[in-house]
Amino acid sequence: MTPITVLVSVDSNSILLGAREFANYLRTLIKDYNLDSLVSVLETVAIGAYDGVVMHVLPDDVYYVVKSKEHVKKIVEEHLLKGRQVWDLTVDKSKLKPGEKFQVKEYRIVTRNIGVIDPKNIEEYIARDGYFALSKALQMKPEEIINEIKASGLRGRGGAGFPTGLKWEFTAKAKADQKYIVCNADEGEPGTFKDRLIMEGDPHSVIEAMIIAGYAVGATKGYIYIRGEYYNSVENLRKAIKDAYEYGFLGENILGSGFNFDLTVRLGAGAYVCGEETALLESIEGKAGRPRLKPPYPPQVGLFGKPTVINNVETLANVPQIILNGAEWFRSIGTPNSPGTKVFCLAGDVNRRGMVELPMGVTVREVLYGFGGGIKGGRELKMVQTGGLAGTFIGPDKLDTPLDYDSMKNYGVSLGSGVILAIDDTHCTVDIALNVMEFFRHESCGKCTPCREGTKVACDILEKMTKFQATEEDLKYLEQIAYVTADASFCGLGQSINVPLLSLINNFRDEFIAHVKDKTCAVGLCKEVKPKKAAVK
Amino acid sequence: MDRATLRNIIDELKSEQLEEQDILIYLLHKVQDYYQSHYIPPEVGEMIAEELNVPPSKVYEVLTFYTMFSTKPRGKYIIRVCTSLPCHVPGGREIVEYLKKKLGVNFGETTKDGLFTLEETGCLGLCGVSPVIMINDQYYGDLTVEKVEEIIESLKGGDAK
């Protein structure tokens, strides 16, 4: 250990701001100035927001936001060499973390190690009580573990919110010669990047949870199914799995318990629908990712026809902490029906974008203004999308809605995967609707007609609207299509298109009317285009 | 790719195999990475079917289902543009329009010089720095039209040398 440590945030978002280049330059300078024995550089992930690359100098506890190599040089020459803090690059810690009023609220369970440890070093994870939960779990009876998870009230963080303990119990009770644990890391819900940062920043927490799940339900094999585009996550998880094998946390006779567990990573190849659990299983089996008919559900008939637990990355990352601290502790956070925390991803037209973990029940406003610092450029907020593309669009009047698993039922605002996407008043609602429906059309797998055709027809109508060619009849037809597609589609993809579409139409009906009746667009984006041929339908 | 090379790749993957059928998609990724023009030729697809003992029709179904795979040669640089809402909102629409105009191609097409293929992708999970594009395995974020122009020109320039 050197007396001084510089933590650099090198996650996939920061890399795009030059993090890797700055970290390497920092190392070069430290060498050039012969500071090797005094300063070490550690790469960690997301420390705070994304105004620039964040560097945290310890033990001085100074945070810098770096935007160029000159900044790096200045920090080395002034701070590291002369011990003088570079004030103009310093950021207040409170600016990286949620504001003061808010600080009480931030609660880090799944993000506790992110930005704190080097994710590629298993020993740093172990030093933060890593694999302690595994050791504790292996001394418990499988049903005790399941009861603990059930008592904690942990629910699926991927969007559906199914009780995790029940999923485990169903799988444990199913009789089979082989069972599987699958981690759904096919994060594709637009606006969601929490799983990416968890896998990049704390991969061992997911691995540890999967081993515990395996022991609890009697599964000896596990797969982590990651999106093909998530190169950094794949790299960090592969390294973590390799280390876990070396340390005896994976493989045969784990920690002398007689329990065996093997784990491997599989890549997706660009199909949103593979985030649907049965489509994901098909994909691991080497098939096209088309959803299966349910029931039977995966806990009975899952991967290769065997009982399978499928959990989201964030859900799993909660498990070791629940085992260590107990169900009661977990229940003390969040709301009675939705215990624990949720990792929110804030994107769009806000001053500060990024990820923050907050107790369930936090309001949209608190995330948007408390963490996000309000709307960019002093413009007006027009709408917020919550829960991902399959979630809802709400107007500024609903900002005080608490977000948990009941907010959809109680307020018509979905929690989903935790996306908070702010959209300011320079955007056209019809254009937003078209973008959303184009996404669904593109990602529809084509297996069932309602989804394949419904998404296409919806796009056609919306496109006509943006060209001022649509009529009021078309608007009615669009609403009808939303209902029919949702009712008749085979899987969750088609079944959910009515949620975003109808929330847009219902909350911003005036704008749709303006496009079909008055042929005007409030923000001047849509322009009249004369149809090429008469009466093409 | 000859059969021996393919077998070598398969052997390499076997160390990560837990069940017999679980490596097809993984293998297709590896084979596609082997080709500079990012595709899997039909004859190699057939070879894969033989080596893994699955029907060729299944290999083709998988190849054509997933957007990351191609059965036709693509450009040296695959530009994947995120068109999802979190990129669309802070200026993504302009990026898409610019790229189509600059390269003179639509989504799914390759430039005449064989350098660039333009593709549409769903959310890349980098919404903290959107709008975002991906060129081969590199990400580029916080984009403006000027930044995109710079990136395209530098790739073109690097290739002219």
Side-chain angles (χ1 to χ4, degrees), chain A residues 151-178:
Chain A
S152 77
L154 176 65
R155 296 168 68 173
R157 299 291 195 248
F162 192 82
T164 307
L166 279 183
K167 243 186 209 181
W168 288 21
E169 189 174 57
F170 293 150
T171 312
K173 283 186 176 159
K175 296 234 175 327
D177 54 345
Q178 179 67 56

Side-chain angles (χ1 to χ4, degrees), chain B residues 90-156:
Chain B
R93 189 189 313 113
E94 288 77 30
I95 304 285
V96 173
E97 278 165 16
Y98 174 78
L99 275 169
K100 284 184 176 171
K101 212 173 121 200
K102 169 93 182 166
L103 300 173
V105 292
N106 258 316
F107 283 133
E109 294 174 0
T110 304
T111 54
K112 283 203 183 91
D113 57 10
L115 219 45
F116 299 103
T117 298
L118 191 62
E119 290 186 359
E120 189 179 6
T121 179
C123 180
L124 292 169
L126 294 161
C127 322
V129 289
S130 62
V132 175
I133 63 172
M134 208 175 157
I135 302 181
N136 294 345
D137 57 359
Q138 284 289 319
Y139 303 104
Y140 300 86
D142 258 347
L143 293 174
T144 55
V145 166
E146 292 74 39
K147 271 197 199 169
V148 175
E149 181 172 17
E150 211 174 283
I151 295 163
I152 300 293
E153 288 302 328
S154 79
L155 288 177
K156 271 187 179 169

Side-chain angles (χ1 to χ4, degrees), chain A residues 290-307:
Chain A
R290 292 198 191 91
R292 297 174 183 169
L293 186 65
K294 291 193 276 192
Y297 292 94
Q300 272 88 39
V301 182
L303 189 60
F304 299 109
K306 307 287 185 188

Side-chain angles (χ1 to χ4, degrees), chain A residues 401-415:
Chain A
T401 308
L403 287 168
D404 59 22
Y405 291 111
D406 297 326
S407 46
M408 186 68 196
K409 192 176 76 197
N410 295 344
Y411 307 97
V413 178
S414 76
L415 169 71

Side-chain angles (χ1 to χ4, degrees), chain A residues 12-13 16-17 50 178 180 188-193 196 221-223 225 227-232 238 262-271 273-274 283-290 304 347-349 353-354 385 389 393 421-423 427 431-432 435-436 439 442-443 445 525, chain B residues 13-26 28-30 33 54 58-59 61-69 80 82-91 93-94 97 120-134 136-142 147:
Chain A
S12 49
N13 285 277
L16 305 192
L17 303 169
Y50 295 115
Q178 179 67 56
Y180 299 96
E189 195 56 55
T192 321
F193 47 101
R196 176 181 207 128
K221 290 177 184 175
Y223 288 92
Y225 184 88
R227 285 188 63 178
E229 295 95 339
Y230 273 24
Y231 293 102
N232 312 61
R238 282 234 169 90
D262 284 304
L263 185 60
T264 189
V265 169
R266 283 295 173 275
L267 272 62
V273 71
C274 285
S283 188
I284 295 179
E285 292 179 14
K287 300 174 193 158
R290 292 198 191 91
F304 299 109
D349 299 323
R353 299 181 282 184
Q385 187 207 36
L389 272 203
F393 288 84
L421 176 67
I423 299 169
H427 295 280
D431 175 65
I432 300 282
N435 178 281
V436 173
F439 178 84
H442 189 256
E443 298 299 345
C445 78
L525 178 78
Chain B
L13 295 189
K14 283 212 165 132
S15 65
E16 290 183 54
Q17 196 173 21
L18 296 184
E19 301 294 348
E20 210 179 309
Q21 303 102 312
D22 72 3
I23 58 165
L24 176 60
I25 292 174
Y26 200 3
L28 293 176
H29 271 294
K30 293 272 176 191
D33 291 346
V54 293
K58 191 180 155 186
V59 175
E61 187 193 10
V62 171
L63 267 181
T64 49
F65 181 85
Y66 295 96
T67 52
M68 282 181 86
F69 297 134
R80 295 195 170 98
C82 174
T83 52
S84 296
L85 202 54
C87 276
H88 181 81
V89 167
R93 189 189 313 113
E94 288 77 30
E97 278 165 16
E120 189 179 6
T121 179
C123 180
L124 292 169
L126 294 161
C127 322
V129 289
S130 62
V132 175
I133 63 172
M134 208 175 157
N136 294 345
D137 57 359
Q138 284 289 319
Y139 303 104
Y140 300 86
D142 258 347
K147 271 197 199 169

Side-chain angles (χ1 to χ4, degrees), chain A residues 117-421:
Chain A
I117 64 165
D118 174 1
K120 289 191 176 156
N121 187 343
I122 188 171
E123 290 185 357
E124 292 200 14
Y125 178 69
I126 296 169
R128 302 258 302 164
D129 296 348
Y131 291 107
F132 282 35
L134 174 63
S135 145
K136 185 177 173 187
L138 289 174
Q139 289 160 34
M140 293 162 76
K141 286 197 193 108
E143 52 275 22
E144 285 172 352
I145 299 174
I146 292 173
N147 285 337
E148 194 71 28
I149 300 295
K150 270 171 74 182
S152 77
L154 176 65
R155 296 168 68 173
R157 299 291 195 248
F162 192 82
T164 307
L166 279 183
K167 243 186 209 181
W168 288 21
E169 189 174 57
F170 293 150
T171 312
K173 283 186 176 159
K175 296 234 175 327
D177 54 345
Q178 179 67 56
K179 295 177 189 176
Y180 299 96
I181 307 294
V182 172
C183 171
N184 184 347
D186 191 52
E187 182 173 64
E189 195 56 55
T192 321
F193 47 101
K194 62 185 178 73
D195 294 346
R196 176 181 207 128
L197 289 176
I198 294 169
M199 289 187 283
E200 284 176 19
D202 197 14
H204 285 287
S205 64
V206 180
I207 295 171
E208 183 177 6
M210 290 182 75
I211 308 167
I212 294 171
Y215 174 72
V217 307
T220 56
K221 290 177 184 175
Y223 288 92
I224 303 177
Y225 184 88
I226 310 184
R227 285 188 63 178
E229 295 95 339
Y230 273 24
Y231 293 102
N232 312 61
S233 303
V234 173
E235 188 189 316
N236 283 11
L237 269 169
R238 282 234 169 90
K239 167 83 169 78
I241 289 175
K242 192 172 152 269
D243 291 345
Y245 267 106
E246 264 172 34
Y247 277 69
F249 299 128
L250 282 171
E252 287 181 5
N253 193 16
I254 294 167
L255 302 177
S257 65
F259 174 65
N260 307 333
F261 194 77
D262 284 304
L263 185 60
T264 189
V265 169
R266 283 295 173 275
L267 272 62
Y272 170 76
V273 71
C274 285
E276 197 283 333
E277 55 183 12
T278 58
L280 185 151
L281 296 179
E282 291 281 304
S283 188
I284 295 179
E285 292 179 14
K287 300 174 193 158
R290 292 198 191 91
R292 297 174 183 169
L293 186 65
K294 291 193 276 192
Y297 292 94
Q300 272 88 39
V301 182
L303 189 60
F304 299 109
K306 307 287 185 188
T308 304
V309 168
I310 308 177
N311 285 145
N312 170 263
V313 173
E314 188 189 343
T315 315
L316 286 168
N318 274 296
V319 168
Q321 293 307 308
I322 294 173
I323 297 295
L324 274 184
N325 303 314
E328 214 161 296
W329 160 80
F330 194 72
R331 279 208 165 271
S332 71
I333 311 152
T335 59
N337 209 15
S338 315
T341 59
K342 182 77 195 78
V343 181
F344 292 97
C345 303
L346 190 57
D349 299 323
V350 282
N351 281 319
R352 189 172 56 232
R353 299 181 282 184
M355 174 178 93
V356 62
E357 183 173 0
L358 300 163
M360 287 278 190
V362 68
T363 65
V364 181
R365 188 188 301 279
E366 284 172 297
V367 183
L368 204 59
Y369 291 90
F371 177 75
I375 305 306
K376 215 172 176 174
R379 290 192 295 263
E380 286 293 312
L381 177 72
K382 178 166 190 168
M383 59 176 100
V384 181
Q385 187 207 36
T386 67
L389 272 203
T392 46
F393 288 84
I394 56 169
D397 55 315
K398 281 193 173 169
L399 288 188
D400 293 307
T401 308
L403 287 168
D404 59 22
Y405 291 111
D406 297 326
S407 46
M408 186 68 196
K409 192 176 76 197
N410 295 344
Y411 307 97
V413 178
S414 76
L415 169 71
S417 55
V419 177
I420 304 284
L421 176 67

